Amino acid sequence: MEKDILTSDVYEIQLVVFKLAKEFYGIEISSVQEIIKIQDITRVPKAPGFVEGVINLRGKIVPIVDLRRRFELGQTERTKDTRVIVVETSGNIVGFIVDLVTEILRFSSDSLEPPPPIFSGIDAEYIKGVAKVDERLIVLLDINLMFKGEEEDGLKMLEAGK
Amino acid sequence: MDIDVNEYRSIFLEETKELIEQFEKSLLELEKQPNNTDAIQSLFRAAHTIKGSSSSLGFDSLAKFTHSLESLMDMVRSSKLSLNQNIINILFKGLDFIQEAVDDIEEGHNGDIDSSELVSMIEKAKTSPSELSIPTVDSVIEKNVVRSLDVLNEAETGVINEAFIKGLNVFVVKFSLAQGCQMKYPRAYMVLKSLEQLGEIFKTLPAVTEIEQEKFDLDLTYYIVTKSTEEEIKNVVQGIAEVEMVEVLPYESARTEQIQSVSQENIEKDEKSEIKVKTDFKKSQTIRISVERLDNLMNLVGELVIDRTRLIKISEDVGEALSGSDSVTSLSEVTTHMGRTINLLQDEILRTRMLPVSHIFERFPRLVRDLSHQLNKQIDFIVSGEETELDKSIIDEIGEPLVHLIRNSLDHGVESPEERKSKGKPERGKLKLSAKQEEGYVVIQIEDDGRGLNPDKIREKAKKRDIVSPNILDQMDDQALFELLFLPGFSTADKVSEVSGRGVGLDVVKSVVERLNGSVSLISKLGEYTRFTLKFPLTLAIIQALLVKVGKEVYALPLNVVLETRFLEEEEVQSIQSQQVTLFRGEVLPVLRLADIFETPGKQDFNENFLVVVSTSDKNVVLSVSDLIGNSEVVIKPLGYIVNRVKGFFGATILGDGRVALIVDTVSLMSAVKEKNFIKVG
């Protein structure tokens, strides 16, 4: 009995869903601090290429990462839909530039599937799973891993003098 | 036991550190004034408290040791043992031992260090007082005064008052019996008897019973009420065999003497009690706050400061658009008032982070004492401005550089007594350490009256080391030459001594100071003095900066590294092997285009019309920028995740219009530039 309860641990996931190029991605709402319109970004010379710069978020300096460039999907075009999703985990705050925030979705954790093996390369390791919602595939990102990974990548890039 | 040992441990450590400081201070005082009973008392109390608290926390080894130290001091305190250099040295060693044990405890151990050697020294000192005892003449005098103060009780002063009313004389008769007097009591009795024929003796010192038991040395004092004159009394006493040195004082004069000393003591007592009340009051009114919490407050205030700047800008913009409207007027009123309040709040919060520099200065007298002993030099160490306050985080860091500079001065600056004498200087050298506040900065100076720096020697050395090209060297004035000492590995000392080499490590001093947004400079006159001046901002969180424009981008340069700004004259910048250079005070400095270093977009489309001369850890460099905006107080904010690894900046700040400007760290920027072989610097 007990074992059953533990293994059939189904819970509800709430996602902020957004678009990068033609793909849909999701971040768990618990790590999203807010969604803001794009504003003046101060460029940081010598920062890794995917770092757009820093902004002033009510007195805090927040680095802004272009997620499309991060995932090597080209550069985000700025439109009126362009948004910055500000996420926070373990004290790190970062803003992600995305093409469009589509919706907030709730779905059951059992509808989450492990990432298909066709994913590979830089982004594969940050993918928690893939959810199928209304015939759409939504890639669920693992923010914690992204922070860790970016830190390492960032370091490597800096060391390489890029 | 569910006592949180760690909590007690940290309280213990904090308290004990304070006690150690007190111990050291009192000990240094005692060494200068062996008769300073207050210092002995304070030493004793410090040791006693350390003993108590360490034993209650189970640091038995430390408790045992302080006990033995305490008992030694108790013997000194109760005059069973006279203070001598040997005991002072032992006490210093004891202090070091306590410090060592406390360090050990702080590292999480038990403070269980072998003290047997020191304890046996202490025990030996207790039994065999050394002959080198420091004369304690002063204390004898002091004791006499105290004793004569205790003389009269109420009944006795009653007798005196009565005598004055009746028109009688009151005399204090002081006399001594001859050395080697065989019958002290009979002689004293005879004096008593003879005087009693002239009047009434209402008091004797010592008391009659003590005289009977011959419990006195040779000195006696009788108080007499009499019709007779001073002269008569004196004659009577002098007429008795084996009596020498008779002094008859009218009580009036004796009394005024007493009153003076009594009132003086009262004043002293009053002052002491007042001070005590004050400190007690202070204690009950203070609370300990974690530094973290203060940092948070500081950050919040920083945000307010930024908002203030923004608000002022908005209010100006609105004012322009809607001038004359009532709301605009009140908006500007509110903005001004808020600005003022925020200023006050910022000052107040800054102040809570401030500590007097005495926190670090306190350890230097000991350092100077030990070093001057070691180097056989005589030093007057003069400290001033200890009450000057500085941000705690800066205080924590500047101890090391100061130690370094003091060592330098003692080792290389101040000459040996013989050398000084031959130069016609006083044998004792002077070392001055001072702190003072100057505008937004705290200035700390270390000055010795020693041999000073020899510019020719520095020039010679620089030539040998090939640090600067010879023709530039010849153009450099003394001041510029002294600056060379801050280059890594540059030393003018003929031989590097044990204590330090002048020059060796000055680069380290410089880098620590600059990391704290401070600056260091030195001036010197050969044969006369050397003075180091350290300048620190009051706080690390808010600094003065020069805002500059590079194309459309705004950067902040900490004002403490900015030496000069000037408009670029065409002929000013020349080129040496495709590296742009300019002359600044006779020195050839590289000119760096910030637009190139920062890879500013569209850099070919704008001119850089201004030069900013900045100091870095190695060498001054000149940065060219497109415009100067002006000075501003900026709040330093961390750049955050990933970006903080980028070299060349130590943070960012938010400008009045809400935009972010990066704060340039010239030191790391130059090292980044050098790594990429942008330029040869230094």
Side-chain angles (χ1 to χ4, degrees):
Chain A
M1 274 292 278
E2 244 185 353
K3 206 183 168 195
D4 273 348
I5 290 168
L6 281 176
T7 49
S8 64
D9 189 12
V10 177
Y11 55 95
E12 194 189 55
I13 301 175
Q14 220 176 331
L15 284 186
V16 174
V17 180
F18 55 89
K19 239 178 135 179
L20 291 178
K22 285 175 183 161
E23 298 168 7
F24 289 93
Y25 289 81
I27 296 175
E28 275 185 76
I29 203 163
S30 54
S31 51
V32 174
Q33 197 184 311
E34 61 194 294
I35 297 163
I36 54 173
K37 283 192 176 173
I38 200 142
Q39 44 173 283
D40 258 344
I41 298 178
T42 301
R43 194 180 63 92
V44 178
K46 314 280 176 196
F50 56 82
V51 175
E52 281 287 296
V54 291
I55 61 159
N56 161 25
L57 184 66
R58 291 186 306 277
K60 259 199 183 104
I61 305 291
V62 176
I64 302 296
V65 167
D66 186 331
L67 263 199
R68 270 223 225 171
R69 279 168 82 176
R70 184 72 192 81
F71 292 151
E72 293 164 5
L73 298 167
Q75 192 170 0
T76 313
E77 290 157 38
R78 305 287 159 84
T79 69
K80 63 178 174 47
D81 293 326
T82 310
R83 291 289 181 278
V84 174
I85 302 178
V86 180
V87 298
E88 180 184 1
T89 53
S90 54
N92 286 321
I93 301 183
V94 172
F96 290 130
I97 301 179
V98 302
D99 290 346
L100 168 73
V101 175
T102 56
E103 71 229 277
I104 310 290
L105 268 186
R106 286 166 198 266
F107 66 99
S108 167
S109 64
D110 58 358
S111 61
L112 192 67
E113 289 166 30
I118 46 157
F119 281 105
S120 68
I122 192 162
D123 36 346
E125 42 188 313
Y126 313 132
I127 296 172
K128 219 175 197 174
V130 176
K132 208 176 137 203
V133 180
D134 308 333
E135 303 301 308
R136 273 187 305 165
L137 283 179
I138 298 169
V139 181
L140 176 56
L141 297 174
D142 188 325
I143 296 299
N144 284 317
L145 286 179
M146 278 187 75
F147 273 114
K148 263 176 109 175
E150 276 187 10
E151 190 101 347
E152 282 154 19
D153 294 343
L155 263 180
K156 272 179 221 152
M157 291 179 88
L158 285 178
E159 274 159 18
K162 253 183 156 180
Chain B
M1 280 232 299
D2 50 359
I3 295 173
D4 185 353
V5 181
N6 276 330
E7 192 179 320
Y8 282 101
R9 188 187 275 254
S10 72
I11 294 173
F12 165 80
L13 286 170
E14 215 159 302
E15 269 181 10
T16 310
K17 277 179 194 164
E18 275 170 28
L19 287 167
I20 288 174
E21 272 172 25
Q22 188 195 325
F23 193 113
E24 183 166 82
K25 216 169 150 189
S26 304
L27 195 49
L28 286 165
E29 262 168 45
L30 197 62
E31 192 178 31
K32 270 186 240 151
Q33 309 170 282
N35 306 315
N36 190 332
T37 43
D38 283 349
I40 300 175
Q41 286 293 358
S42 136
L43 269 180
F44 179 78
R45 274 198 306 272
H48 185 76
T49 315
I50 293 173
K51 179 182 87 170
S53 53
S54 53
S55 121
S56 67
L57 279 177
F59 304 128
D60 294 332
S61 167
L62 178 59
K64 220 171 121 193
F65 174 76
T66 36
H67 173 74
S68 117
L69 206 60
E70 182 193 340
S71 64
L72 175 71
M73 276 180 282
D74 190 33
M75 288 173 78
V76 174
R77 188 175 67 144
S78 58
S79 310
K80 282 182 193 140
L81 201 62
S82 63
L83 201 60
N84 56 42
Q85 197 56 50
N86 182 35
I87 292 179
I88 297 245
N89 286 341
I90 288 176
L91 291 178
F92 270 116
K93 278 188 185 140
L95 174 67
D96 290 342
F97 181 82
I98 294 171
Q99 180 73 60
E100 212 178 306
V102 169
D103 288 347
D104 188 57
I105 290 167
E106 193 164 23
E107 280 161 26
H109 310 295
N110 237 342
D112 203 358
I113 305 168
D114 180 30
S115 63
S116 54
E117 200 183 323
L118 202 48
V119 169
S120 72
M121 272 172 83
I122 294 172
E123 295 307 317
K124 216 172 131 197
K126 280 182 192 166
T127 50
S128 59
S130 149
E131 285 153 20
L132 293 160
S133 78
I134 297 168
T136 51
V137 186
D138 288 352
S139 74
V140 174
I141 292 164
E142 220 163 38
K143 261 182 204 155
N144 272 344
V145 171
V146 173
R147 235 165 93 193
S148 67
L149 292 173
D150 293 334
V151 166
L152 300 175
N153 60 32
E154 243 180 69
E156 288 154 354
T157 46
V159 172
I160 292 168
N161 287 335
E162 224 176 277
F164 285 142
I165 292 163
K166 285 181 190 160
L168 297 170
N169 295 324
V170 181
F171 291 120
V172 180
V173 184
K174 292 182 175 179
F175 64 98
S176 310
L177 299 177
Q179 198 83 35
C181 171
Q182 289 302 309
M183 298 180 289
K184 278 167 29 180
Y185 168 58
R187 294 295 172 212
Y189 185 69
M190 277 168 73
V191 176
L192 195 71
K193 274 290 141 198
S194 339
L195 283 179
E196 265 173 357
Q197 287 171 2
L198 298 174
E200 186 201 348
I201 291 183
F202 64 93
K203 184 174 181 64
T204 67
L205 271 181
V208 178
T209 48
E210 276 170 10
I211 297 176
E212 280 171 5
Q213 291 160 21
E214 293 203 354
K215 275 190 183 162
F216 63 96
D217 198 3
L218 294 165
D219 299 328
L220 290 149
T221 307
Y222 293 167
Y223 285 68
I224 186 170
V225 177
T226 178
K227 278 181 190 163
S228 312
T229 63
E230 236 173 295
E231 209 53 40
E232 286 166 328
I233 304 273
K234 202 168 181 177
N235 288 338
V236 168
V237 181
Q238 268 174 342
I240 294 159
E242 290 190 276
V243 170
E244 284 179 3
M245 286 175 52
V246 184
E247 205 185 347
V248 180
L249 297 166
Y251 182 72
E252 269 310 316
S253 61
R255 193 176 60 163
T256 45
E257 223 179 78
Q258 271 182 359
I259 287 169
Q260 269 175 357
S261 41
V262 167
S263 57
Q264 207 168 2
E265 200 194 46
N266 276 345
I267 290 165
E268 270 172 33
K269 263 190 193 155
D270 282 348
E271 270 173 7
K272 260 176 217 158
S273 56
E274 199 179 49
I275 289 163
K276 211 172 179 189
V277 170
K278 268 189 195 154
T279 49
D280 283 352
F281 178 71
K282 244 187 184 166
K283 251 182 200 159
S284 64
Q285 293 290 313
T286 50
I287 47 168
R288 287 182 199 274
I289 303 181
S290 74
V291 176
E292 199 183 318
R293 186 158 275 181
L294 283 179
D295 284 345
N296 282 340
L297 275 177
M298 196 66 217
N299 279 334
L300 290 173
V301 169
E303 273 172 42
L304 280 180
V305 171
I306 291 158
D307 286 345
R308 175 193 62 191
T309 330
R310 296 189 61 183
L311 210 53
I312 291 169
K313 179 129 198 347
I314 292 167
S315 144
E316 280 167 7
D317 291 351
V318 172
E320 258 170 51
L322 304 164
S323 65
S325 134
D326 282 353
S327 313
V328 169
T329 320
S330 33
L331 174 65
S332 89
E333 270 170 29
V334 168
T335 311
T336 313
H337 182 251
M338 229 181 93
R340 219 176 290 143
T341 316
I342 291 169
N343 272 344
L344 291 175
L345 186 63
Q346 185 191 340
D347 278 357
E348 211 48 46
I349 302 273
L350 276 181
R351 211 158 287 155
T352 57
R353 295 175 52 94
M354 305 279 259
L355 285 177
V357 289
S358 59
H359 274 256
I360 27 169
F361 280 17
E362 260 164 10
R363 48 174 142 140
F364 297 140
R366 173 74 192 279
L367 175 80
V368 171
R369 172 198 181 267
D370 289 354
L371 272 178
S372 54
H373 278 217
Q374 192 186 331
L375 296 164
N376 282 323
K377 285 178 182 174
Q378 295 172 7
I379 305 289
D380 282 328
F381 185 47
I382 301 149
V383 182
S384 61
E386 286 162 292
E387 69 290 343
T388 313
E389 290 185 329
L390 197 53
D391 193 286
K392 188 188 179 304
S393 46
I394 301 180
I395 291 247
D396 290 343
E397 300 267 344
I398 59 174
E400 263 330 283
L402 288 180
V403 166
H404 199 93
L405 295 177
I406 287 174
R407 280 169 169 271
N408 247 331
S409 283
L410 286 179
D411 198 14
H412 304 294
V414 178
E415 311 90 332
S416 66
E418 303 79 48
E419 194 182 337
R420 292 181 66 88
K421 212 174 163 184
S422 71
K423 282 180 179 171
K425 285 182 176 183
E427 283 180 41
R428 292 184 76 83
K430 264 195 198 119
L431 183 61
K432 282 192 239 171
L433 173 65
S434 68
K436 65 178 176 216
Q437 202 174 325
E438 232 171 51
E439 287 160 19
Y441 291 90
V442 166
V443 177
I444 297 177
Q445 287 189 328
I446 294 165
E447 180 179 336
D448 64 62
D449 66 343
R451 54 175 71 100
L453 294 168
N454 188 339
D456 296 334
K457 242 182 183 173
I458 299 173
R459 191 171 276 129
E460 211 174 284
K461 207 109 195 174
K463 262 179 199 158
K464 256 187 217 158
R465 300 256 176 127
D466 201 20
I467 287 175
V468 190
S469 73
N471 44 351
I472 295 173
L473 259 180
D474 292 335
Q475 281 180 38
M476 283 167 97
D477 61 6
D478 290 358
Q479 196 50 47
L481 282 168
F482 296 155
E483 297 291 333
L484 292 178
L485 293 179
F486 291 107
L487 295 179
F490 197 96
S491 167
T492 55
D494 296 328
K495 50 178 193 275
V496 176
S497 80
E498 212 180 298
V499 180
S500 74
R502 171 150 268 171
V504 171
L506 277 185
D507 57 319
V508 179
V509 171
K510 189 169 164 122
S511 73
V512 172
V513 171
E514 281 179 352
R515 188 153 44 81
L516 298 168
N517 296 327
S519 64
V520 56
S521 62
L522 87 99
I523 57 171
S524 176
K525 189 160 186 205
L526 187 60
E528 287 182 26
Y529 67 91
T530 306
R531 177 164 68 223
F532 285 91
T533 304
L534 284 72
K535 213 169 156 189
F536 295 98
L538 291 174
T539 174
L540 282 181
I542 297 176
I543 59 164
Q544 289 288 328
L546 172 67
L547 299 179
V548 299
K549 259 186 157 171
V550 180
K552 282 177 185 161
E553 297 173 345
V554 177
Y555 293 91
L557 293 167
L559 216 52
N560 65 310
V561 299
V562 175
L563 302 175
E564 201 177 297
T565 58
R566 59 166 94 140
F567 187 75
L568 178 66
E569 306 288 351
E570 232 166 81
E571 66 279 6
E572 261 185 316
V573 176
Q574 298 163 27
S575 174
I576 300 176
Q577 293 188 335
S578 78
Q579 169 62 56
Q580 292 193 310
V581 295
T582 190
L583 263 171
F584 172 69
R585 293 186 197 155
E587 214 181 333
V588 177
L589 298 182
V591 175
L592 305 175
R593 291 189 73 200
L594 272 191
D596 284 341
I597 299 175
F598 292 157
E599 292 160 357
T600 310
K603 60 184 175 186
Q604 58 283 357
D605 299 336
F606 56 84
N607 288 321
E608 292 178 277
N609 297 322
F610 289 90
L611 297 179
V612 183
V613 186
V614 297
S615 69
T616 77
S617 55
D618 315 342
K619 196 180 194 332
N620 300 335
V621 295
V622 181
L623 303 174
S624 66
V625 299
S626 45
D627 202 359
L628 303 176
I629 300 173
N631 294 352
S632 174
E633 198 169 61
V634 303
V635 179
I636 304 176
K637 305 234 157 208
L639 276 171
Y641 175 69
I642 295 194
V643 187
N644 58 12
R645 298 184 187 275
V646 178
K647 276 187 179 171
F649 308 99
F650 51 46
T653 191
I654 295 163
L655 301 172
D657 58 6
R659 282 196 304 162
V660 179
L662 300 177
I663 304 171
V664 178
D665 172 9
T666 51
V667 177
S668 79
L669 184 70
M670 281 313 115
S671 68
V673 167
K674 257 200 289 186
E675 273 165 32
K676 285 178 198 150
N677 295 324
F678 245 109
I679 182 196
K680 279 179 252 156
V681 183

